[in-house]
Amino acid sequence: MGEKLFMKGNEALAEGAIRAGCRFFAGYPITPQNEVPEYMSWRLPEAGGTFIQAESEVSAINMLYGASATGTRTMTSSSSPGISLKQEGISYCASAELPIFFANVVRGGPGLGNIAPSQGDYFQSTRGGGHGDYRVIVMAPKSVAEMANFPRLCYEMAFKYRIPAMILADGILGQMMEPLEFDFEPIDPATFELPKWALRGSGGAERRRVNSYDLRPSYMEKWNFRLEAKYQEIAANEIRYEATQIEDADIVLAAYGTSARICESALMLGRREGLKIGLVRPITVWPFPTQIFKDLSKRVKKFLVVEMSLGQFVEDVQLSINGKAEIYLHKRPAGAIPTGEEVLEITKKILSGDQTKLHSKP
Amino acid sequence: MEIVFQQTPGLTETPMRYCPGCGHGVVHRLVAEAYTELGMKEKTIGVAPVGCSVFADEYFNVDMIQGPHGRGPAIATGIKRCKPESLVFSYQGDGDLASIGMAETIHSAARSENITIIFINNAIYGMTGGQMAPTTLIGMKSTTSPHGRTVEANGYPIKMCELLAALDGPVYLERVSVDKPAAVVKAKRAIKRAFQYQIEKRGFTLVEILSQCPTDWGMMPLAALERVRKEMMPFFPLGIYKEPADSKAAVAEKE
Ligand SMILES: Cc1ncc(C[n+]2csc(CCOP(=O)(O)OP(=O)(O)O)c2C)c(N)n1
Ligand code: SF4
């Protein structure tokens, strides 16, 4: 804490996880997140942890399934196609209530796509991602400092609620270098009490079971309702967002992660010209900060959603605003990155009333 | 009176759901007796697969985890690396281990993870109703090879012990059967040896057990045992495929 560092996003993410108590990492190379396993490979053993380069993403997530069942703070990271492969395992973790932590440094898709930054995995991240009814906690950093500090929050929520928690980043956040400070002291997991459910051998007491099945539909239904109650509790307690200059805004920009960063510069440029622009930036995209949008829509009649995907994030904004205001969308999918000037120009068009609703191509 | 046989405390009292004549139940008992007799019951963590033995987490009276189809070796790797003092085994069928989970099997063996795999080779997909497995014999009928497996259409069955023996990682590989009492005794000895090597931190061990699936083979239990002997054993020869040089000598001396 206090110490000023200058790091690449992916390395900050890895270091942040270790300082937050991560002691097991398994992953498989994929650009643009390779610095995470590379950093972990030397740094984690130094911290007394285990690094494994797995034979595949599928294997990596299942190593986490086992390792986190022992109560260990675990991490895996990947980028889009690799996260797709991990989804079966993440679904098992969600059902078995294992507190894994993982990061998706999103790249352009679909398919092999490209290695450029993108936000195309929003649906996959916020709707569960794999099979079955479940959610994972999703934090969307906008800076290297947040890449470094969010892992601790993810672990705290993951262990509190026994749920997978993830960081939804992108190639820009992973690759850029920025100054940062840790906002917490390094955590030594050896000081934690092992959770009751953690496998360790029965030790002569009652044995433990970690599983994700009940073939009796009525029991599995109860299991699902139990998970749902937990999701509701998380939605009630853990929503985070940042609202900038919304008090007098005529138009509110809505964006997360890198797009929010870009909107910040559009806001700054616009304010300099006297335009009343505000910004709402969800920090947790699941649970989604619905209420702030709902409240704002009572007064603000125009919203501009900016996302580096084809209209995924906008659906959550629409659900929140529920027809009470006009929503415009600026979308740059598959590795294209909007600029602040570009966003400002569209904002101006909307304010002057000549922008088509829910549609804008660069 | 002297007790010559009793239920092992290594198993729970939950009645097993396996079909009459199935090999799974016998092997469960052997695994449970092995960790119990080695004094490791309280330090054992088992991994149950997807397959007929998905319920193994109900039967083994130790800490258990059930995971995705084929990923047992990866799960066991994660557990063992975090809890190196525990005895970790992964119990798997042939579809689980040699088809969908082949990569996890080979790579955990190549890394010589200090885990034990109990591999039930019954030449069929039991749980899903008798489809062809990677170990289904040439000519053998299954619901997805209704006229019998052919080389032209389906290629050859995979011999896992032989395949793994080509790697440097495995420490101990043995193929056994449970088709008669003497074979059962031998199978237990193999499982115990594998656990012993794990306790000695030697590395990857796997015991392949030729097993019978009367239900999906469409056979009476005795005929199924006969098939294990007449059809499976010639193609999947029993024996030790890999063992540590020092213990080979020690075992020879004892016997
Ligand atoms: C990802 C996935 N694919 C397929 C299945 C369906 N499935 C369940 S059991 C099984 C086959 C199991 O056969 P085997 O491993 O030989 O074990 P046995 O039942 O014969 O003991 C399959 C394909 C599944 N549960 N998950
Ligand atoms: S289907 Fe076959 S493997 Fe499964 S329990 Fe029945 S006999 Fe055993």
Side-chain angles (χ1 to χ4, degrees), chain A residues 130-178:
Chain A
H131 61 286
D133 257 333
Y134 72 93
R135 301 283 179 163
V136 303
I137 292 173
V138 190
M139 295 199 78
K142 66 167 187 186
S143 64
V144 172
E146 290 186 351
M147 292 282 270
N149 286 303
F150 282 4
R152 176 181 65 99
L153 301 173
C154 284
Y155 280 124
E156 281 173 3
M157 291 187 283
F159 274 77
K160 179 170 178 199
Y161 299 102
R162 297 187 57 188
I163 185 173
M166 74 173 284
I167 281 184
L168 180 63
D170 62 48
I172 292 186
L173 291 163
Q175 296 298 321
M176 75 178 169
M177 293 188 78
E178 279 188 320

Coordinates of all heavy atoms in Angstrom, one line a residue, chain A residues 130-178:
Chain A
G130 N -22.3 -20.6 -19.2 CA -22.3 -22.0 -19.5 C -23.8 -22.5 -19.4 O -24.7 -21.7 -19.5
H131 N -23.9 -23.8 -19.3 CA -25.3 -24.4 -19.2 C -25.9 -24.3 -17.9 O -25.3 -24.2 -16.8 CB -25.2 -25.9 -19.6 CG -24.4 -26.7 -18.7 ND1 -23.0 -26.7 -18.7 CD2 -24.7 -27.6 -17.7 CE1 -22.5 -27.5 -17.7 NE2 -23.5 -28.0 -17.1
G132 N -27.2 -24.2 -17.9 CA -28.0 -24.2 -16.6 C -28.2 -22.8 -16.1 O -27.7 -21.8 -16.7
D133 N -29.0 -22.7 -15.1 CA -29.4 -21.4 -14.5 C -28.5 -21.0 -13.5 O -28.5 -21.5 -12.4 CB -30.8 -21.6 -13.8 CG -32.0 -21.1 -14.6 OD1 -31.7 -20.1 -15.4 OD2 -33.1 -21.6 -14.4
Y134 N -27.6 -20.0 -13.8 CA -26.7 -19.5 -12.8 C -26.1 -18.2 -13.1 O -26.3 -17.7 -14.3 CB -25.6 -20.5 -12.5 CG -24.5 -20.6 -13.6 CD1 -23.4 -19.8 -13.5 CD2 -24.7 -21.4 -14.7 CE1 -22.4 -19.9 -14.5 CE2 -23.7 -21.5 -15.7 CZ -22.6 -20.7 -15.6 OH -21.7 -20.8 -16.6
R135 N -25.5 -17.5 -12.2 CA -24.8 -16.3 -12.4 C -23.4 -16.3 -11.8 O -23.2 -17.1 -10.9 CB -25.6 -15.1 -11.8 CG -27.0 -15.0 -12.2 CD -27.1 -14.3 -13.6 NE -28.5 -14.2 -14.0 CZ -28.9 -13.3 -14.9 NH1 -28.0 -12.6 -15.6 NH2 -30.1 -13.3 -15.3
V136 N -22.5 -15.5 -12.3 CA -21.3 -15.3 -11.7 C -21.1 -13.8 -11.4 O -21.7 -13.0 -12.2 CB -20.0 -15.8 -12.5 CG1 -20.2 -17.3 -12.8 CG2 -19.8 -15.1 -13.8
I137 N -20.4 -13.4 -10.4 CA -20.1 -12.0 -10.2 C -19.1 -11.5 -11.2 O -18.1 -12.1 -11.5 CB -19.6 -11.8 -8.7 CG1 -20.7 -12.1 -7.7 CG2 -19.1 -10.4 -8.6 CD1 -20.2 -12.2 -6.3
V138 N -19.5 -10.4 -11.9 CA -18.6 -9.9 -12.9 C -18.2 -8.4 -12.6 O -19.0 -7.6 -12.6 CB -19.3 -9.9 -14.3 CG1 -18.4 -9.6 -15.4 CG2 -20.0 -11.2 -14.5
M139 N -16.9 -8.2 -12.5 CA -16.4 -6.9 -12.2 C -15.7 -6.4 -13.5 O -14.9 -7.2 -14.1 CB -15.4 -6.9 -11.1 CG -16.1 -7.2 -9.7 SD -15.0 -6.6 -8.3 CE -15.4 -4.9 -8.3
A140 N -15.9 -5.2 -13.9 CA -15.4 -4.6 -15.1 C -14.5 -3.5 -14.8 O -15.0 -2.3 -14.7 CB -16.5 -4.2 -16.1
P141 N -13.2 -3.7 -14.7 CA -12.2 -2.6 -14.5 C -12.1 -1.7 -15.7 O -12.4 -2.1 -16.8 CB -10.9 -3.3 -14.2 CG -11.0 -4.6 -14.9 CD -12.5 -5.0 -14.9
K142 N -11.6 -0.4 -15.4 CA -11.4 0.5 -16.5 C -10.0 1.0 -16.5 O -9.6 1.8 -17.4 CB -12.3 1.7 -16.4 CG -12.0 2.6 -15.1 CD -12.7 3.9 -15.2 CE -12.2 4.8 -14.0 NZ -12.9 6.0 -13.8
S143 N -9.1 0.5 -15.6 CA -7.8 1.0 -15.5 C -6.9 -0.1 -15.0 O -7.3 -1.1 -14.5 CB -7.7 2.2 -14.6 OG -8.0 1.7 -13.2
V144 N -5.6 0.1 -15.1 CA -4.6 -0.9 -14.6 C -4.7 -0.9 -13.1 O -4.6 -2.0 -12.5 CB -3.2 -0.5 -15.1 CG1 -2.1 -1.4 -14.4 CG2 -3.1 -0.7 -16.6
A145 N -5.0 0.2 -12.5 CA -5.1 0.2 -11.0 C -6.3 -0.7 -10.6 O -6.2 -1.4 -9.6 CB -5.3 1.6 -10.5
E146 N -7.3 -0.6 -11.3 CA -8.5 -1.5 -11.0 C -8.2 -3.0 -11.3 O -8.7 -3.8 -10.6 CB -9.7 -1.0 -11.7 CG -10.2 0.3 -11.1 CD -11.6 0.8 -11.7 OE1 -12.1 0.2 -12.7 OE2 -12.1 1.8 -11.2
M147 N -7.4 -3.2 -12.4 CA -7.0 -4.6 -12.7 C -6.3 -5.1 -11.4 O -6.4 -6.3 -11.1 CB -6.1 -4.6 -13.9 CG -6.7 -4.3 -15.2 SD -7.7 -5.6 -15.9 CE -6.5 -6.4 -16.9
A148 N -5.5 -4.3 -10.8 CA -4.7 -4.7 -9.7 C -5.5 -4.9 -8.4 O -5.2 -5.8 -7.6 CB -3.6 -3.7 -9.4
N149 N -6.5 -4.1 -8.2 CA -7.2 -4.0 -6.9 C -8.5 -4.8 -6.9 O -9.0 -5.2 -5.9 CB -7.5 -2.6 -6.5 CG -6.2 -1.9 -6.0 OD1 -5.6 -2.4 -5.1 ND2 -5.8 -0.8 -6.6
F150 N -9.1 -5.1 -8.1 CA -10.4 -5.9 -8.1 C -10.2 -7.3 -7.7 O -11.2 -7.9 -7.2 CB -11.0 -5.7 -9.5 CG -11.7 -4.4 -9.7 CD1 -11.7 -3.4 -8.7 CD2 -12.5 -4.2 -10.8 CE1 -12.3 -2.2 -8.9 CE2 -13.2 -2.9 -11.0 CZ -13.1 -1.9 -10.1
P151 N -9.1 -8.0 -8.0 CA -9.0 -9.4 -7.6 C -9.4 -9.6 -6.1 O -10.1 -10.6 -5.7 CB -7.6 -9.8 -7.9 CG -7.2 -9.0 -9.0 CD -7.9 -7.6 -8.7
R152 N -8.9 -8.7 -5.2 CA -9.3 -8.8 -3.8 C -10.8 -8.8 -3.6 O -11.3 -9.6 -2.8 CB -8.6 -7.7 -3.0 CG -9.0 -7.8 -1.5 CD -8.4 -6.7 -0.7 NE -8.8 -5.4 -1.1 CZ -9.8 -4.7 -0.4 NH1 -10.4 -5.2 0.6 NH2 -10.2 -3.5 -0.8
L153 N -11.4 -7.9 -4.2 CA -12.9 -7.7 -4.1 C -13.6 -9.0 -4.6 O -14.5 -9.5 -4.0 CB -13.4 -6.5 -4.8 CG -12.8 -5.2 -4.4 CD1 -13.3 -4.0 -5.3 CD2 -13.2 -4.9 -2.9
C154 N -13.0 -9.5 -5.7 CA -13.6 -10.8 -6.3 C -13.5 -11.9 -5.3 O -14.4 -12.7 -5.1 CB -12.9 -11.1 -7.6 SG -13.5 -10.1 -9.0
Y155 N -12.3 -12.1 -4.7 CA -12.1 -13.2 -3.7 C -13.0 -13.0 -2.5 O -13.6 -14.0 -2.1 CB -10.7 -13.2 -3.3 CG -9.7 -13.9 -4.2 CD1 -8.6 -13.3 -4.7 CD2 -10.0 -15.2 -4.6 CE1 -7.7 -13.9 -5.6 CE2 -9.1 -15.9 -5.5 CZ -8.0 -15.2 -6.0 OH -7.2 -15.9 -6.9
E156 N -13.2 -11.8 -2.1 CA -14.0 -11.6 -0.9 C -15.4 -11.9 -1.1 O -16.1 -12.6 -0.4 CB -13.9 -10.1 -0.4 CG -12.6 -9.9 0.4 CD -12.3 -8.4 0.7 OE1 -13.2 -7.6 0.4 OE2 -11.3 -8.2 1.3
M157 N -15.9 -11.5 -2.3 CA -17.3 -11.8 -2.6 C -17.5 -13.3 -2.9 O -18.4 -14.0 -2.5 CB -17.8 -11.0 -3.8 CG -18.0 -9.5 -3.5 SD -18.7 -8.6 -4.8 CE -17.3 -8.4 -5.9
A158 N -16.5 -13.9 -3.7 CA -16.5 -15.3 -4.1 C -16.6 -16.2 -2.8 O -17.4 -17.1 -2.8 CB -15.3 -15.6 -4.9
F159 N -15.8 -15.9 -1.8 CA -15.8 -16.7 -0.6 C -17.0 -16.4 0.3 O -17.5 -17.3 0.9 CB -14.4 -16.5 0.2 CG -13.4 -17.5 -0.4 CD1 -12.7 -17.2 -1.6 CD2 -13.1 -18.7 0.3 CE1 -11.8 -18.1 -2.1 CE2 -12.1 -19.6 -0.2 CZ -11.5 -19.3 -1.4
K160 N -17.4 -15.2 0.3 CA -18.6 -14.8 1.2 C -19.8 -15.6 0.7 O -20.6 -16.1 1.5 CB -18.8 -13.3 1.1 CG -20.0 -12.9 2.0 CD -20.0 -11.4 2.1 CE -21.3 -11.0 2.9 NZ -21.6 -9.6 2.7
Y161 N -20.0 -15.5 -0.6 CA -21.2 -16.1 -1.2 C -21.0 -17.5 -1.8 O -22.0 -18.1 -2.3 CB -21.8 -15.2 -2.3 CG -22.2 -13.8 -1.7 CD1 -21.3 -12.7 -1.9 CD2 -23.3 -13.6 -1.0 CE1 -21.7 -11.5 -1.5 CE2 -23.7 -12.4 -0.5 CZ -22.8 -11.3 -0.7 OH -23.1 -10.1 -0.2
R162 N -19.8 -18.0 -1.8 CA -19.5 -19.3 -2.5 C -20.0 -19.3 -3.9 O -20.8 -20.0 -4.3 CB -20.1 -20.4 -1.7 CG -19.5 -20.6 -0.3 CD -20.0 -21.8 0.4 NE -19.7 -23.0 -0.4 CZ -20.1 -24.2 -0.1 NH1 -20.9 -24.4 0.9 NH2 -19.7 -25.3 -0.9
I163 N -19.3 -18.4 -4.7 CA -19.8 -18.2 -6.1 C -18.5 -17.9 -6.9 O -17.6 -17.2 -6.4 CB -20.8 -17.1 -6.2 CG1 -21.4 -17.0 -7.6 CG2 -20.3 -15.8 -5.7 CD1 -22.6 -16.0 -7.7
P164 N -18.5 -18.3 -8.2 CA -17.4 -17.8 -9.0 C -17.5 -16.3 -9.2 O -18.6 -15.8 -9.3 CB -17.6 -18.5 -10.4 CG -18.4 -19.8 -10.0 CD -19.3 -19.3 -8.9
A165 N -16.3 -15.7 -9.3 CA -16.3 -14.2 -9.5 C -15.2 -14.0 -10.6 O -14.2 -14.6 -10.6 CB -15.9 -13.4 -8.3
M166 N -15.6 -13.1 -11.5 CA -14.7 -12.8 -12.6 C -14.4 -11.4 -12.9 O -15.1 -10.5 -12.5 CB -15.2 -13.5 -13.9 CG -16.4 -12.7 -14.5 SD -16.9 -13.3 -16.2 CE -15.6 -12.7 -17.2
I167 N -13.3 -11.2 -13.6 CA -13.0 -9.8 -14.1 C -13.1 -9.9 -15.6 O -12.6 -10.7 -16.3 CB -11.5 -9.4 -13.7 CG1 -11.6 -9.0 -12.2 CG2 -11.0 -8.3 -14.6 CD1 -10.3 -8.4 -11.7
L168 N -14.0 -8.9 -16.1 CA -14.2 -8.8 -17.5 C -13.4 -7.6 -18.0 O -13.7 -6.5 -17.8 CB -15.7 -8.6 -17.7 CG -16.2 -8.4 -19.2 CD1 -15.9 -9.7 -20.0 CD2 -17.7 -8.1 -19.2
A169 N -12.2 -8.0 -18.6 CA -11.4 -6.9 -19.1 C -11.3 -7.0 -20.6 O -12.2 -7.5 -21.3 CB -10.0 -7.1 -18.5
D170 N -10.3 -6.4 -21.3 CA -10.2 -6.5 -22.7 C -8.7 -6.3 -23.0 O -7.9 -6.0 -22.1 CB -11.1 -5.5 -23.5 CG -10.7 -4.1 -23.1 OD1 -9.5 -3.7 -23.2 OD2 -11.7 -3.3 -22.8
G171 N -8.3 -6.4 -24.3 CA -6.9 -6.3 -24.7 C -6.3 -5.0 -24.3 O -5.1 -5.0 -24.0
I172 N -7.0 -4.0 -24.3 CA -6.4 -2.7 -23.9 C -6.0 -2.7 -22.5 O -4.8 -2.4 -22.1 CB -7.4 -1.5 -24.2 CG1 -7.6 -1.3 -25.7 CG2 -6.8 -0.2 -23.5 CD1 -8.4 -0.1 -26.0
L173 N -6.9 -3.1 -21.6 CA -6.7 -3.1 -20.2 C -5.5 -4.1 -19.9 O -4.7 -3.9 -18.9 CB -7.9 -3.5 -19.4 CG -9.0 -2.4 -19.5 CD1 -10.4 -3.0 -19.1 CD2 -8.7 -1.2 -18.6
G174 N -5.5 -5.2 -20.6 CA -4.4 -6.2 -20.4 C -3.0 -5.7 -20.8 O -2.0 -6.0 -20.2
Q175 N -3.0 -4.9 -21.9 CA -1.7 -4.6 -22.5 C -1.2 -3.2 -22.1 O 0.0 -3.0 -22.2 CB -1.9 -4.6 -24.0 CG -2.2 -6.0 -24.6 CD -1.1 -7.0 -24.3 OE1 0.1 -6.7 -24.3 NE2 -1.5 -8.2 -23.9
M176 N -2.0 -2.3 -21.7 CA -1.5 -1.0 -21.4 C -0.8 -0.9 -20.1 O -1.0 -1.7 -19.2 CB -2.6 0.1 -21.5 CG -3.5 0.2 -20.4 SD -4.7 1.5 -20.7 CE -5.9 1.3 -19.5
M177 N 0.2 0.1 -20.0 CA 0.9 0.3 -18.8 C 0.4 1.6 -18.1 O 0.2 2.6 -18.8 CB 2.4 0.4 -19.0 CG 3.0 -1.0 -19.5 SD 4.7 -1.0 -19.6 CE 5.2 -1.2 -17.9
E178 N 0.2 1.5 -16.8 CA -0.2 2.7 -16.1 C 0.3 2.7 -14.7 O 0.7 1.6 -14.2 CB -1.8 2.7 -16.0 CG -2.5 3.2 -17.2 CD -4.0 3.4 -16.9 OE1 -4.6 2.5 -16.2 OE2 -4.6 4.3 -17.4

